Amino acid sequence: METNKEGRTEKTFKNFGKKVDEFLAELDEASERMQKEFKEKYDDLKQTAEKVKNESENKERWKEVEDSLKKAGDELANAFKAAFKKRGPEGPVQ
């Protein structure tokens, strides 16, 4: 009877070990899938961050261009005003 009991216990541990091995294999597979998904998400976020960075740099650059053009336009307007002021007999009219 003890031999029969030892055989059942051994069989139970063998099945338990088999199930643990299956669980670990599934865990490894799930881990690989998760790593792949996280890498894809990370790559997407990295691309999005680069795009946002480039867009913000472009906006700053265009803001500088806009400011420079506005300044040039103001200077040109002042030059035209100075060139076409009515002149009196004693010099430009203010």
Side-chain angles (χ1 to χ4, degrees):
M1 181 141 166
E2 281 189 37
T3 307
N4 193 14
K5 191 174 187 180
E6 285 177 18
R8 277 192 250 159
T9 303
E10 189 175 312
K11 187 176 181 180
T12 301
F13 278 118
K14 187 177 179 181
N15 284 337
F16 178 73
K18 191 175 184 181
K19 295 217 184 258
V20 168
D21 288 342
E22 289 173 4
F23 175 74
L24 290 176
E26 289 176 16
L27 188 62
D28 284 343
E29 186 179 316
S31 174
E32 288 174 15
R33 280 191 309 239
M34 291 293 284
Q35 286 179 351
K36 183 179 177 184
E37 286 179 27
F38 281 129
K39 173 131 178 53
E40 289 173 359
K41 299 259 185 217
Y42 174 76
D43 290 341
D44 288 345
L45 288 173
K46 192 174 174 183
Q47 288 176 353
T48 301
E50 188 65 30
K51 184 177 178 182
V52 167
K53 179 183 172 192
N54 289 338
E55 286 178 4
S56 68
E57 287 175 356
N58 286 340
K59 286 180 183 177
E60 289 174 16
R61 183 178 60 121
W62 285 111
K63 177 68 175 152
E64 289 176 21
V65 169
E66 181 182 348
D67 291 344
S68 295
L69 288 173
K70 183 174 180 183
K71 184 177 177 183
D74 291 344
E75 290 177 9
L76 185 61
N78 290 337
F80 274 108
K81 286 179 187 175
F84 295 107
K85 279 186 182 178
K86 290 187 179 179
R87 294 184 178 253
E90 297 179 14
V93 176
Q94 303 265 341

